[in-house]
Amino acid sequence: MDIAKKILKVNVNGRPYELLIKPKTTLLQFLRNDLGLTGAKQACMDNSCGACTVIVDKMAVKACSVLALQVNGREVMTVEGLASRDGKLHPLQQAFLDYHAFQCGFCTPGKLMSSKAMLDENPHPNEEEIRRDMEGNLCRCTGYTQYIEAIKAVAQKKEVAK
Amino acid sequence: MQSSFFNDLDGIIEFEYLEPKTTKEACAWLNQYQENAKIIAGGTKLMASMRQRKITPRYLINLKSILNLEFITADEEGLRIGALTTLYAISQSSIANDKAKILVEAIQQREPGVNQARWAYYMATMGGHLSHPASSVDIAPPLIILGAKAVVEGLKGWKTIPLEDLFDQNGEAAFQKDEVLTEIRIPKLSADIGLVYMKSGGSSGAPTFNTAVSLQLDGKHVNVEELRIVVGGVTPKIMEAREAVGFMKDKPIDNDLIEETARAAAKEVGGRSDAEAEGRAQELIEEAIRQAVDRAIGEFALGY
Ligand SMILES: Cc1cc2nc3c(=O)[nH]c(=O)nc-3n(C[C@H](O)[C@H](O)[C@H](O)COP(=O)(O)OP(=O)(O)OC[C@H]3O[C@@H](n4cnc5c(N)ncnc54)[C@H](O)[C@@H]3O)c2cc1C
Ligand code: FES
Ligand code: FES
């Protein structure tokens, strides 16, 4: 069967794209292979680990488990879009550095995107809420302490700034 | 060919992605391609089934290209929720919180599990949940006691199906393979009905049970006029305890009767479950009835 490619119109990290893709392309494949945005990582591929997490219209989504065509017309943000254009790190990125919240860094893009979506929705989570919200992002190196501290620090700063 | 670890969906056969403009068009394709076609709504279950090669559709029909399937509205008759509305949207909706609080409570109690996969909570739709007995187990019980009906559209027109009749004894959907669930209608209910949803997580891997209870008292808050008890998770099918409610109907509220009703209801819905499961179900139902009495009495409740 000769399968028709479909047009995907999507905005990624503030830039509009219009590409012809095979319907079975996942969002993760599209970002990594078609756009060269390799920040979102390919790991378990069965929505368990969170390494592939990106933000679609403010929601943290597992890019391995969504078809690219499902985000047609929507806004996607990957870790590449997190720092400002002049290179200034996002407060979460800075806090992850300050708190040594990673070793190999493979899980970090996913963790950053999950925590950004969480803080955008709930700017002042308590530790229990942070732990619960980050359950879907696994790490095999660092353990689960430093990045919780990093996220807490950003949440507290937001509170002070307010 | 089996895909390699990193090939993802590459190893599966190609599929055509169809974007109907109307429900009729979607039904026509379902009818034309039969087993080879599948609807995609949130895709959270479908993608997993495709990856595990449980299904290998040649055509995916994207319901999201149909404009009017994502909505929450209320009018004189009650609340209407479009099939493509996500559970997240329902839990955030002020209309749903106002008119069907118990449904929102059920969705929110799902959250600890779904949080582990927060994306599924954002993406999964009402229609997707109600398309299979297993994924409907959390939200069907509250919908049943709210008296909800599913609107199903096919090539010949549309029909409504009471939620309790959505699946038969074997778990087969009451609607045909070329029909699409388009919305849920929840009638307006009187404010003095006590509605309660409760969930009990089993220890060491035992399944989670849930129950939805509705209870209405007479004007003097003495006799139980109406009582419904629906239980999910104890058996594969969602069960309503129809006989056990007879213990309390048209009788004054009474502690012994609540216990007796809960015991009988747990037995009735339990199928062949063991004593431990039956005991857990009984406890859950008993607590839900007590809370429903309080809610039915409202601000003057002293705590039953
Ligand atoms: C990580 C994860 C965690 C989960 N946790 C829970 C949980 O805690 N509790 C729980 O109950 N469930 C849970 N689920 C299951 C989830 O409920 C299902 O994946 C979801 O209900 C499917 O909805 P969807 O919109 O994504 O449907 P899809 O995956 O798009 O479709 C599922 C099936 O329904 C059919 N379908 C969809 N919409 C319609 C329609 N309108 N009319 C007719 N047929 C239709 C499709 O053809 C397909 O066969 C979880 C799933 C995941 C992936
Ligand atoms: S690669 Fe997507 S969740 Fe693990
Ligand atoms: S830092 Fe290596 S997996 Fe998390």
Side-chain angles (χ1 to χ4, degrees):
Chain A
M1 190 160 77
D2 199 13
I3 297 295
K5 287 190 171 180
K6 301 288 281 186
I7 291 184
L8 170 65
K9 290 184 193 173
V10 63
N11 189 306
V12 181
N13 298 333
R15 283 180 61 177
Y17 292 90
E18 198 171 319
L19 265 86
L20 268 178
I21 59 161
K22 279 186 182 177
K24 71 176 179 182
T25 311
T26 59
L27 176 57
L28 184 61
Q29 286 174 320
F30 169 71
L31 293 169
R32 292 178 59 88
N33 304 343
D34 293 289
L35 303 191
L37 297 172
T38 53
K41 296 289 180 269
Q42 190 164 296
C44 70
M45 307 303 281
D46 72 357
N47 68 58
S48 312
C49 75
C52 63
T53 308
V54 298
I55 296 178
V56 178
D57 289 350
K58 302 201 168 104
M59 302 167 183
V61 158
K62 302 213 171 166
C64 70
S65 297
V66 174
L67 291 176
L69 287 170
Q70 284 184 270
V71 303
N72 196 20
R74 302 216 200 177
E75 296 203 0
V76 177
M77 186 187 215
T78 69
V79 74
E80 287 89 346
L82 206 48
S84 60
R85 289 195 182 202
D86 61 8
K88 187 167 183 310
L89 293 182
H90 184 278
L92 278 164
Q93 289 172 308
Q94 190 58 52
F96 269 54
L97 273 175
D98 295 344
Y99 285 80
H100 308 288
F102 51 85
Q103 280 179 26
C104 79
F106 194 82
C107 65
T108 312
K111 282 214 176 91
L112 286 167
M113 301 319 280
S114 283
S115 48
K116 177 178 177 356
M118 171 184 60
L119 290 183
D120 286 348
E121 194 183 322
N122 173 12
H124 311 302
N126 59 32
E127 180 164 337
E128 195 191 326
E129 286 169 328
I130 296 175
R131 286 186 183 278
R132 209 185 61 172
D133 264 75
M134 296 298 293
E135 262 175 14
N137 289 82
L138 306 183
C139 173
R140 52 169 226 179
C141 316
T142 326
Y144 295 89
T145 309
Q146 292 99 315
Y147 78 90
I148 301 281
E149 294 304 317
I151 297 169
K152 258 167 55 183
V154 175
Q156 275 157 10
K157 261 191 210 143
K158 278 196 174 187
E159 207 151 2
V160 173
K162 207 177 150 230
Chain B
M1 188 185 75
Q2 186 72 11
S3 80
S4 70
F5 186 67
F6 281 126
N7 273 344
D8 194 16
L9 286 180
D10 279 350
I12 69 163
I13 53 166
E14 302 280 346
F15 53 80
E16 198 101 46
Y17 196 74
L18 303 175
E19 297 186 274
K21 290 277 165 290
T22 61
T23 313
K24 275 251 148 47
E25 199 176 359
C27 296
W29 278 327
L30 284 170
N31 182 273
Q32 182 181 350
Y33 299 123
Q34 298 282 321
E35 294 301 323
N36 286 326
K38 279 278 173 215
I39 285 172
I40 176 164
T44 58
K45 181 154 181 262
L46 197 79
M47 285 283 285
S49 308
M50 282 166 61
R51 196 170 264 144
Q52 294 157 8
R53 316 295 195 265
K54 283 187 188 156
I55 53 167
T56 49
R58 309 297 298 259
Y59 301 90
L60 281 197
I61 303 170
N62 177 25
L63 282 194
K64 296 227 161 150
S65 57
I66 303 171
L67 282 181
N68 50 357
L69 290 181
E70 203 171 344
F71 58 84
I72 302 176
T73 57
D75 59 20
E76 277 311 292
E77 288 177 28
L79 179 68
R80 294 171 52 199
I81 302 177
L84 281 187
T85 313
T86 61
L87 293 199
Y88 176 72
I90 296 170
S91 73
Q92 299 293 307
S93 150
S94 52
I95 302 177
N97 271 278
D98 185 34
K99 311 279 180 204
K101 185 81 188 146
I102 185 179
L103 174 63
V104 174
E105 285 172 356
I107 291 172
Q108 282 166 349
Q109 287 191 42
R110 258 185 57 126
E111 231 190 314
V114 178
N115 245 10
Q116 197 180 16
R118 211 168 157 72
W119 66 278
Y121 176 56
Y122 288 136
M123 304 275 302
T125 65
M126 174 73 118
H129 273 273
L130 295 177
S131 65
H132 192 269
S135 54
S136 73
V137 73
D138 286 324
I139 60 169
L143 286 171
I144 291 172
I145 61 154
L146 285 167
K149 290 193 166 115
V151 179
V152 171
E153 262 184 71
L155 286 172
K156 294 195 194 110
W158 61 277
K159 62 187 175 197
T160 59
I161 304 175
L163 252 279
E164 54 268 45
D165 298 334
L166 209 50
F167 301 105
D168 69 13
Q169 287 298 337
N170 306 317
E172 290 294 322
F175 52 97
Q176 303 298 314
K177 294 210 159 48
D178 60 358
E179 290 178 325
V180 173
L181 196 158
T182 55
E183 73 177 72
I184 294 296
R185 290 187 185 166
I186 299 171
K188 214 174 190 169
L189 292 183
S190 133
D192 59 357
I193 299 183
L195 297 165
V196 171
Y197 176 87
M198 290 183 71
K199 196 164 178 170
S200 123
S203 56
S204 49
T208 303
F209 298 163
N210 62 31
T211 187
V213 169
S214 73
L215 185 143
Q216 190 167 24
L217 298 170
D218 64 359
K220 292 183 182 148
H221 290 165
V222 174
N223 283 349
V224 176
E225 274 191 348
E226 275 302 323
L227 174 65
R228 287 186 81 178
I229 302 170
V230 177
V231 179
V234 180
T235 60
K237 191 173 156 42
I238 289 158
M239 301 289 287
E240 176 157 10
R242 291 177 197 275
E243 282 170 26
V245 294
F247 283 107
M248 282 182 78
K249 251 182 163 173
D250 300 321
K251 295 194 189 111
I253 327 162
D254 166 282
N255 202 31
D256 291 343
L257 268 189
I258 293 178
E259 281 174 25
E260 201 177 340
T261 306
R263 197 175 313 118
K267 211 175 236 346
E268 190 179 337
V269 302
R272 271 182 250 136
S273 50
D274 57 37
E276 197 265 336
E278 209 172 286
R280 266 179 61 212
Q282 181 184 330
E283 252 174 58
L284 185 70
I285 296 168
E286 191 179 316
E287 182 55 27
I289 297 176
R290 289 184 197 284
Q291 287 195 18
V293 172
D294 283 348
R295 286 197 179 180
I297 294 174
E299 57 182 308
F300 301 110
L302 297 171
Y304 217 83

